[in-house]
Amino acid sequence: QVQLVESGGGLVQAGGSLRLSCAASGSIFSITSMGWYRQAPGKQRELAATITSGGVTNYADSVKGRFTISRDNAKNTVYLQMNSLKPEDTAVYYCHAVRSTGWTAYEFWGQGTQVTVSS
């Protein structure tokens, strides 16, 4: 099992910044990627950004140029720096991890942290 604990959400005005953190613990060996997904009210959960164990990043088009994902392997923590926030970024943000063993991949989710951007 992998436990993911998020922090850093909150209320910010449009144009502001927030940094989310996600600390992983438990069976963290063989985690191949971590990332952030978000779910706005009445919408499906969608990818925001991911980063592989090798440092390869992937971003949703809607956040490119504004969000930056990074990881500190020594602290088993992944970060999401969110700049130039827009009201449409309002959502619950979930940390996500994938652990691969052989041919099997396991997914883990954090409990979510609320990000609210006021106009």
Side-chain angles (χ1 to χ4, degrees), residues 73-95:
N73 290 328
K75 295 182 178 180
N76 301 313
T77 299
V78 65
Y79 304 96
L80 186 67
Q81 178 66 44
M82 305 184 294
N83 298 328
S84 302
L85 282 162
K86 304 175 181 180
E88 51 263 43
D89 294 318
T90 295
V92 178
Y93 284 70
Y94 295 91
C95 184

Side-chain angles (χ1 to χ4, degrees), residues 41-54:
K43 295 188 176 181
Q44 290 189 333
R45 192 173 297 187
E46 63 178 11
L47 177 146
T50 61
I51 185 167
T52 69
S53 56

Side-chain angles (χ1 to χ4, degrees), residues 1-97:
Q1 285 292 329
V2 173
Q3 292 79 44
L4 302 172
V5 179
E6 302 116 330
S7 60
L11 172 64
V12 65
Q13 288 188 330
S17 299
L18 283 175
R19 188 175 85 151
L20 306 182
S21 300
C22 173
S25 62
S27 300
I28 59 175
F29 58 93
S30 297
I31 287 180
T32 55
S33 71
M34 294 183 69
W36 294 92
Y37 286 70
R38 64 185 186 180
Q39 187 167 18
K43 295 188 176 181
Q44 290 189 333
R45 192 173 297 187
E46 63 178 11
L47 177 146
T50 61
I51 185 167
T52 69
S53 56
V56 176
T57 58
N58 181 48
Y59 296 93
D61 288 342
S62 57
V63 308
K64 280 181 182 177
R66 300 187 299 120
F67 291 11
T68 302
I69 190 169
S70 61
R71 63 191 293 169
D72 184 332
N73 290 328
K75 295 182 178 180
N76 301 313
T77 299
V78 65
Y79 304 96
L80 186 67
Q81 178 66 44
M82 305 184 294
N83 298 328
S84 302
L85 282 162
K86 304 175 181 180
E88 51 263 43
D89 294 318
T90 295
V92 178
Y93 284 70
Y94 295 91
C95 184
H96 176 258

